Amino acid sequence: PASSLWFASIVQSRTAHQLKTMPLFDVIQVQFDKKIMEIAQYFRYQSADSKETIIVEGEVPDDFFLLVSGKVEVSQNDQTICELVAGDYFGELALLEGGNSKRKATVKTLTNCTLMCCTSDAFKTILRIVPEFIEHFNNVKEKYNKMDLERNTE
């Protein structure tokens, strides 16, 4: 029992250290280290091989993802929108919308990837711990909506 607690704290510390390197966490203004340690417990590591589908457009959302290493492609209606690299994240929009929202894009790996992910319930808890994320994600959502509008009017 004591050794499993020790191991869990090591994993949480490693996860917290990884989170600190991600640009997303720069939005945390107050109690940075405390909040990082608190939210680290909600993330788990996941590996994905090249050409693996992580998110499918139209599916019900269940996870939020941080890209630790590798590269992914984001597409809508089989059209590539962008590529994401280490430090980027995806899956937040549908989780923010909640209710009966669906994934708005498909995300496939272009290389072998390491991801950190959390469940939709954990994501909600993280938003309570780090309320700064709500404004940040809403700004990102507005940006994506503008991009969608521009694509649809071309």
Side-chain angles (χ1 to χ4, degrees), residues 75-140:
S75 62
Q76 278 183 325
N77 302 318
D78 296 321
Q79 298 282 331
T80 299
I81 298 171
C82 66
E83 293 180 358
L84 303 175
V85 296
D88 290 331
Y89 56 88
F90 55 93
E92 78 285 0
L93 295 180
L95 293 178
L96 284 171
E97 291 175 5
N100 296 324
S101 66
K102 305 278 191 220
R103 294 289 192 190
K104 298 194 180 341
T106 295
V107 179
K108 292 182 182 178
T109 59
L110 296 173
T111 64
N112 291 342
C113 294
T114 301
L115 305 151
M116 292 174 71
C117 55
C118 68
T119 65
S120 57
D121 288 339
F123 184 76
K124 291 173 193 166
T125 301
I126 290 167
L127 292 179
R128 282 193 297 276
I129 296 167
V130 187
E132 298 96 326
F133 283 158
I134 296 169
E135 182 179 351
H136 173 79
F137 288 139
N138 283 329
N139 291 338
V140 169

Side-chain angles (χ1 to χ4, degrees), residues 4 13 20 22 28 34 36 51 65 69 79 86 112 131 144:
S4 62
S13 291
K20 287 179 182 182
M22 306 232 162
I28 300 175
K34 179 182 183 288
I36 290 286
K51 299 182 180 162
F65 297 89
S69 67
Q79 298 282 331
N112 291 342
Y144 286 152

Side-chain angles (χ1 to χ4, degrees), residues 13-28 32-33 36 39 45 66-69 85-89 114 116:
S13 291
R14 177 179 174 232
T15 303
H17 177 73
Q18 185 69 56
L19 293 175
K20 287 179 182 182
T21 68
M22 306 232 162
L24 169 63
F25 295 90
D26 292 344
V27 302
I28 300 175
F32 181 81
D33 288 331
I36 290 286
I39 65 175
Y45 282 90
L66 299 165
L67 189 54
V68 176
S69 67
V85 296
D88 290 331
Y89 56 88
T114 301
M116 292 174 71

Side-chain angles (χ1 to χ4, degrees), residues 52-63:
E52 190 173 323
T53 302
I54 306 295
I55 288 178
V56 176
E57 184 176 357
E59 285 190 347
V60 175
D62 54 0
D63 287 315

